[in-house]
Amino acid sequence: MISVAWRITIILLLVVLAAAAGALLGGHPGAMVAALLVLVGVVARDSLALSRLIRWLRSPEASTVPTGSGAWAEVFYRASRQLRLWTGRLSYEESKLHRFIEALQVSPNGVILLDENNQIDWCNATAAQHFGLDAQRDLRQHAVHLIRNPEFVAYLQAAHFHEPLHMHRAGSRAQFTLSVQVFPYGDQQKLLLSQDITQLERTEAMRRDFVANVSHEIKTPLTVLGGFVETLRDLPLDEEQRLRVLGMMQTQSDRMRHLVDDLLVLARLEGDPYPPTEVAIDMKSMMTQYLSEAQALSNGRHQIKLEVRTDLWVRGSPQELHSALSNLVSNAVRYTPEGGSISLEWDAVFVDGQPRHAEFSVSDTGIGIAAEHIPRLTERFYRVDRGRSRESGGTGLGLAIVKHVLLRHQAELLVHSTPGKGSRFVVRFPAARLVPRDASSSGNAAESVLEAA
Ligand code: ADP
């Protein structure tokens, strides 16, 4: 294909040749004038098209491509086609970049891009939140001017980036810990990643505490048992003394067994992602069972009362609920001095004939619990009085088991207590867990009161 410049040159040459031939052969000076007019016309048309092209090139858009005739039509067509091609490529690259940035924005980790002077090139929303930055306003600012933590400044200056830095930061609501690591790339640029490890640190601390507690709990009875073994081996004991020592050894080994049993129950509950087996449980007969257990444990030292005010059943795991509720009953007996009273109740609240919730409660007139301990009672091994708990055969795991079982049944534990006066532990089951004994008579609460000395 002939280029535009060549076409124009050929036209001009033809015009000049025709004019020259006319002037020479015919002796017509008019031919020269006509040739000049044609020339002016061609130049004027091209200048016009050229100026339209220049104007369009200042802000080229596919919708405003100028039109032209002859060779200019091809010029404009090719220019607009090239423009469409570039625009297409650009929007494809832009959408790729946009998707990449979107992915970085939803990352749970903070991402900051630093240039060779440690100025912020870009940061995602998580990094902005971790370091208190404004993702727009703080661009091009020096990282150390905005993140003034001395450890961070030293880390960036030392440039030993093979290990992460753990930074403690104060958020709007609480302290949190960040793990920060820098990865150099390109021409002295840096990728800074931050991760909130507060929960990880807490879990690690809990794990360490748990191992220390279990070791301590097992070591104590083991040491005592070891002492008794030495006594039996080294001392000449009469039959009565020997039986007493063996009885004490039995107590210690029972204690260890209880501890291991509770640990196994807890491990199973914590590690079991499945909901409990769905069985309808007759709470009235469960309550009678708890009464017998409380009486056996109390051995006549307390007044124990049972009140069943509703015949609603509960849907859940009989084993798990038995283990949780009997823990509350045994606590009431263990933390109530001789002569005190204990009351077991099963009751429900109805709204418009429909149960809103039902409550299992154990009230005692025992030693009570000071308010500051109540929020921590369900922590593993948390005891208000370690000595008293051990003396009464406690493992410190009972209420942790209760918490897990109730969580699995969407039930709530409410604790009301006054030191020196007594406590009331309430387990509230939501309506969704309640089953009317007889579906046709739901809402007709039966009342039965059993008394036991
Ligand atoms: P423990 O085996 O020590 O009883 P729990 O987890 O069952 O462990 O209970 C945790 C702590 O809560 C107990 O050590 C005790 O201090 C306190 N506690 C639980 N129930 C009662 C209660 N009915 N009265 C007074 N204190 C209680």
Side-chain angles (χ1 to χ4, degrees), residues 331-332 334-335 364 367-369 377 382-385 389 394-399 423 425:
N331 278 356
R334 286 169 41 234
Y335 295 108
D364 64 55
I367 59 171
I369 307 158
L377 290 182
Y382 189 84
R383 288 127 149 176
V384 177
D385 179 344
S389 156
T395 60
L397 295 173
L399 291 181
S423 312
F425 284 74

Side-chain angles (χ1 to χ4, degrees), residues 48-355:
L48 201 69
L50 199 64
S51 78
R52 270 197 260 142
L53 176 68
I54 291 170
R55 211 175 322 129
W56 178 72
L57 282 174
R58 282 195 193 118
S59 58
E61 271 179 42
S63 60
T64 59
V65 183
T67 50
S69 58
W72 285 105
E74 191 180 332
V75 170
F76 294 140
Y77 165 73
R78 282 177 186 269
S80 77
R81 208 174 69 138
Q82 204 60 35
L83 179 72
R84 272 201 305 275
L85 214 70
W86 285 338
T87 316
R89 257 188 227 156
L90 197 70
S91 70
Y92 172 71
E93 294 300 333
E94 257 178 7
S95 79
K96 243 170 57 175
L97 184 69
H98 188 67
R99 264 182 288 138
F100 183 66
I101 288 177
E102 261 183 353
L104 288 181
Q105 284 293 16
V106 298
S107 157
N109 294 335
V111 180
I112 301 183
L113 302 182
L114 297 175
D115 69 9
E116 64 280 10
N117 300 315
N118 291 331
Q119 284 173 306
I120 299 172
D121 260 346
W122 185 83
C123 78
N124 70 353
T126 314
Q129 187 226 321
H130 282 171
F131 297 104
L133 303 174
D134 183 316
Q136 298 304 322
R137 192 194 58 208
D138 293 335
L139 293 187
R140 310 305 315 145
Q141 299 289 320
H142 280 275
V144 289
H145 291 171
L146 299 170
I147 308 167
R148 289 165 179 268
N149 181 304
E151 292 155 349
F152 175 75
V153 176
Y155 177 71
L156 215 54
Q157 276 164 1
H160 295 141
F161 300 135
H162 42 273
E163 287 286 329
L165 165 76
H166 286 189
M167 275 171 72
H168 297 283
R169 302 207 34 94
S172 53
R173 271 173 297 150
Q175 286 266 335
F176 61 99
T177 311
L178 287 181
S179 168
V180 176
Q181 191 158 12
V182 167
F183 301 90
Y185 73 97
D187 188 14
Q188 290 188 307
Q189 283 100 331
K190 297 176 192 80
L191 167 72
L192 185 152
L193 296 183
S194 59
Q195 188 189 5
D196 188 339
I197 54 163
T198 318
Q199 192 53 41
L200 212 71
E201 270 194 338
R202 217 172 276 155
T203 313
E204 180 54 23
M206 272 168 69
R207 192 193 61 78
R208 273 199 307 270
D209 276 3
F210 182 67
V211 172
N213 274 322
V214 172
S215 315
H216 180 76
E217 293 293 328
I218 289 181
K219 197 176 156 204
T220 313
L222 265 183
T223 313
V224 179
L225 265 179
F228 287 142
V229 171
E230 269 178 33
T231 309
L232 283 179
R233 190 191 58 200
D234 301 340
L235 296 181
L237 302 177
D238 60 30
E239 187 57 14
E240 192 188 331
Q241 287 168 322
R242 206 178 62 85
L243 285 177
R244 204 163 56 84
V245 168
L246 283 173
M248 289 190 282
M249 287 174 79
Q250 173 85 53
T251 309
Q252 295 304 324
S253 83
D254 283 351
R255 206 175 124 190
M256 274 201 292
R257 195 168 40 78
H258 278 147
L259 179 69
V260 173
D261 284 349
D262 278 0
L263 280 172
L264 289 174
V265 170
L266 205 54
R268 191 173 45 73
L269 287 172
E270 284 181 340
D272 185 0
Y274 301 107
T277 3
E278 308 271 282
V279 170
I281 302 162
D282 177 358
M283 284 302 285
K284 202 169 170 182
S285 72
M286 284 275 268
M287 295 299 287
T288 322
Q289 204 179 325
Y290 297 141
L291 176 69
S292 314
E293 285 176 19
Q295 284 166 336
L297 202 62
S298 159
N299 205 12
R301 289 175 298 132
H302 308 93
Q303 287 274 333
I304 307 176
K305 196 170 78 166
L306 169 66
E307 292 190 22
V308 178
R309 297 205 182 92
T310 176
D311 59 2
L312 281 171
W313 290 30
V314 166
R315 204 165 35 78
S317 154
Q319 293 81 19
E320 288 184 18
L321 282 177
H322 180 262
S323 138
L325 304 185
S326 64
N327 246 309
L328 297 178
V329 175
S330 105
N331 278 356
V333 175
R334 286 169 41 234
Y335 295 108
T336 302
E338 190 164 353
S341 342
I342 291 159
S343 167
L344 313 180
E345 286 167 41
W346 175 236
D347 201 355
V349 170
F350 287 86
V351 175
D352 297 333
Q354 291 300 315

